[in-house]
Amino acid sequence: MSLVMDEAIQIQRQAIVNEALTWKKTPYHHEASVKGAGVDCAMFLVKVYGDLGFIPCFDPRPYSPQWHLQHSEEIYLKFVEKYAQKVDKPLPGDVALYKFGRCISHGAIVIEWPAIIHVVAYIGCLLDDGTQGQLKGRLHGFYSLFKGV
């Protein structure tokens, strides 16, 4: 990969991190997608990557706030895999996926692993350690929108 392409990808990764950080302190609200007013973990990813043009804007709603307790189908994972590939080592701007309930049902954006930003139900969008607290032992893996990088 050329140095110019490497630099361009680093700039894109930083744009994702910068945009994600602008959502910090947005309150949790199921199915919402308004910065500063309300968001959930699914719509957070859709808005950050979609608004920056890394994925097509789409709307996965409606969905139950407890869908991951009632279904085994990997709905969340399928959306992520449509646009990103699994990677072993996360870089800034990649997605970290977690399993809650019966399937993968939570996503975060990597700032600098293990630092992530994500939306916690009934709390909101915050910086966190992706290996601690309620996330400890639930990590499924990492996904990148940048092929081979």
Side-chain angles (χ1 to χ4, degrees):
M1 184 170 297
S2 75
L3 185 59
V4 173
M5 185 176 285
D6 241 7
E7 280 183 36
I9 290 172
Q10 294 310 316
I11 290 168
Q12 292 174 327
R13 287 182 174 283
Q14 191 59 51
I16 293 166
V17 168
N18 292 346
E19 176 59 22
L21 290 171
T22 68
W23 285 80
K24 190 176 166 195
K25 297 186 180 178
T26 297
Y28 168 81
H29 192 280
H30 175 64
E31 292 188 336
S33 61
V34 180
K35 190 186 302 182
V39 70
D40 64 16
C41 75
M43 294 308 298
F44 174 59
L45 297 182
V46 169
K47 291 297 288 180
V48 169
Y49 294 109
D51 286 356
L52 290 173
F54 288 103
I55 64 171
C57 290
F58 70 95
D59 193 342
R61 298 171 286 194
Y63 48 85
S64 161
Q66 301 297 320
W67 67 269
H68 59 287
L69 301 176
Q70 303 157 355
H71 299 280
S72 296
E73 183 182 357
E74 294 289 358
I75 298 168
Y76 201 106
L77 178 60
K78 284 180 183 178
F79 278 123
V80 172
E81 288 180 334
K82 185 172 181 178
Y83 304 106
Q85 62 186 14
K86 193 163 188 176
V87 294
D88 294 327
K89 181 180 175 188
L91 294 172
D94 287 343
V95 177
L97 291 182
Y98 296 87
K99 185 174 183 175
F100 283 86
R102 297 169 70 176
C103 54
I104 294 152
S105 56
H106 185 70
I109 296 175
V110 174
I111 302 299
E112 185 73 45
W113 186 253
I116 60 168
I117 185 165
H118 66 137
V119 180
V120 178
Y122 309 107
I123 295 174
C125 189
L126 53 87
L127 290 172
D128 212 347
D129 181 324
T131 64
Q132 299 298 310
Q134 68 175 349
L135 300 174
K136 188 174 185 172
R138 296 181 181 274
L139 181 65
H140 165 73
F142 306 105
Y143 289 77
S144 181
L145 279 75
F146 302 94
K147 295 185 186 325
V149 181

